[in-house]
Amino acid sequence: MWNYEKRLQYPVKITQTNPKLAQVIISQFGGPDGELSASMRYLSQRYTMPYKEVTGILTDIGTEELAHMEMICAIVYQLTKDLSAEEIERCGFDKYYVDHTLALWPQSAGGVPWSATTFQSKGDPVTDLHEDMAAEQKARTTYDNILRLVKDPEVADPIRFLREREIVHYQRFGESLRIVQDHLDSRNFYAFNPAFDLGK
Amino acid sequence: MMADNRPCRRDLLHWINVVSFALNDTTLFLDTHPGDREALAFFDECQAKRNRALKEYAKYYGPLTIDTADASETDRWNWINEPWPWQEGGC
């Protein structure tokens, strides 16, 4: 189960609205390499992970990703707070606004709705951890791309924090892959799937 | 410290964020290095600091966690009173 903590993992205090930037940053909520996909990926994969260190890391990183999703949503919320109809039209926020007003809804920057097809839960520890390491790098690149578009230091600061966490998570998943491989036959890591071929 | 001895809200919250982050990052490290004694000691230290700070924050400024919410000395449910983290004045 989970408990809610009534604070953000890292503070978000944005005083200037910017709906154009919000439409880009929302991709880290519901886009292909966003925080919602990250959390669902790790929290889905952990059930069939046979090694306790890795089940632990999937649970704890999957939980941290929920806190990152909340930070992204806080950024988007504050960038679009109290907008007037004129501002919405001028900044091209009208297409989002017509369906969601100023509410948060998981979609990519291009308007594609969030989908479980953005991640895989394959049931093979080597395969799942390669997916996880790639996912952290894709999210890091997305944050690098966002940072090139951000001029406001109040927005850049929490985005830099989130980017840094992708690197730490990548490191932990790399260690997890090594732990998995230490349990396998070093002459052929693919001789069997330790999450399925139980007789081995 | 404020005039009535209560800690400054912003400073205390910043401290909670600092020790909570250290605790969280150490948790991830320990998941893949469960025998690291230095990390175990650091975890212990951060956890004690965090628990103390969360209790102190709840006492003066309302609970951040359900575990530090106290319903015994009040006739109002304080969990909903303070702003939510994404709102102005929130954490």
Side-chain angles (χ1 to χ4, degrees):
Chain A
M1 78 150 280
W2 273 265
N3 280 315
Y4 186 66
E5 210 163 304
K6 210 174 164 184
R7 64 177 183 91
L8 298 178
Q9 192 190 11
Y10 187 91
V12 173
K13 298 253 187 288
I14 297 163
T15 48
Q16 291 292 311
T17 58
N18 187 340
K20 215 176 153 201
L21 192 56
Q23 277 177 292
V24 170
I25 293 177
I26 203 169
S27 236
Q28 284 302 78
F29 177 24
D33 305 313
E35 302 290 356
L36 176 58
S37 293
S39 182
M40 295 304 109
R41 175 183 299 111
Y42 309 143
L43 294 180
S44 299
Q45 290 176 355
R46 68 194 176 124
Y47 297 92
T48 51
M49 183 56 70
Y51 310 112
K52 57 185 187 297
E53 297 90 342
V54 189
T55 312
I57 208 76
L58 288 169
T59 301
D60 294 332
I61 294 181
T63 299
E64 188 181 339
E65 306 294 9
L66 287 175
H68 294 174
M69 187 179 86
E70 188 185 31
M71 281 178 63
I72 289 292
C73 289
I75 292 169
V76 172
Y77 171 75
Q78 291 176 16
L79 283 173
T80 57
K81 197 170 174 288
D82 300 330
L83 288 178
S84 68
E86 289 75 31
E87 287 172 296
I88 285 167
E89 225 180 342
R90 198 174 55 238
C91 296
F93 197 62
D94 48 350
K95 288 178 191 70
Y96 183 89
Y97 155 84
V98 73
D99 288 329
H100 310 293
T101 323
L102 298 180
L104 267 290
W105 190 71
Q107 67 162 48
S108 75
V112 180
W114 182 79
S115 164
T117 57
T118 53
F119 73 86
Q120 183 52 295
S121 184
K122 197 70 177 176
D124 178 313
V126 172
T127 310
D128 280 345
L129 284 165
H130 275 92
E131 152 117 2
D132 302 345
M133 291 170 74
E136 295 295 335
Q137 289 299 337
K138 287 187 280 183
R140 195 263 307 154
T141 302
T142 309
Y143 283 125
D144 282 339
N145 291 347
I146 288 170
L147 282 167
R148 286 191 200 97
L149 303 174
V150 174
K151 307 281 179 285
D152 181 351
E154 291 178 336
V155 180
D157 187 43
I159 294 287
R160 281 198 197 99
F161 171 86
L162 292 167
R163 177 193 178 276
E164 193 64 35
R165 296 309 289 160
E166 307 300 339
I167 294 164
V168 172
H169 292 173
Y170 177 82
Q171 170 69 22
R172 298 282 97 89
F173 283 131
E175 292 158 1
S176 299
L177 179 59
R178 205 177 53 192
I179 288 167
V180 167
Q181 287 173 333
D182 283 347
H183 284 90
L184 300 176
D185 181 349
S186 62
R187 291 164 301 179
N188 179 8
F189 288 140
Y190 315 104
F192 63 95
N193 173 0
F196 189 79
D197 300 306
L198 295 174
K200 301 282 177 172
Chain B
M1 285 285 188
M2 315 277 275
D4 61 350
N5 271 347
R6 64 165 61 189
C8 166
R9 184 171 184 263
R10 211 187 47 202
D11 291 352
L12 184 54
L13 182 67
H14 177 70
W15 176 243
I16 288 171
N17 284 340
V18 167
V19 290
S20 300
F21 176 72
L23 188 72
N24 174 60
D25 203 36
T26 310
T27 300
L28 299 189
F29 180 83
L30 279 167
D31 284 345
T32 53
H33 305 79
D36 191 300
R37 290 227 177 146
E38 206 183 326
L40 286 166
F42 187 63
F43 180 92
D44 206 40
E45 189 189 314
C46 294
Q47 194 183 46
K49 285 175 179 165
R50 177 178 136 89
N51 289 344
R52 227 177 299 135
L54 282 174
K55 271 189 199 146
E56 198 178 9
Y57 191 95
K59 188 172 154 195
Y60 295 108
Y61 302 110
L64 297 179
T65 62
I66 281 295
D67 290 340
T68 52
D70 184 1
S72 67
E73 287 172 34
T74 168
D75 53 6
R76 280 284 298 175
W77 178 234
N78 277 324
W79 178 248
I80 55 167
N81 275 353
E82 294 300 317
W84 294 91
W86 55 91
Q87 296 170 343
E88 216 173 307
C91 302

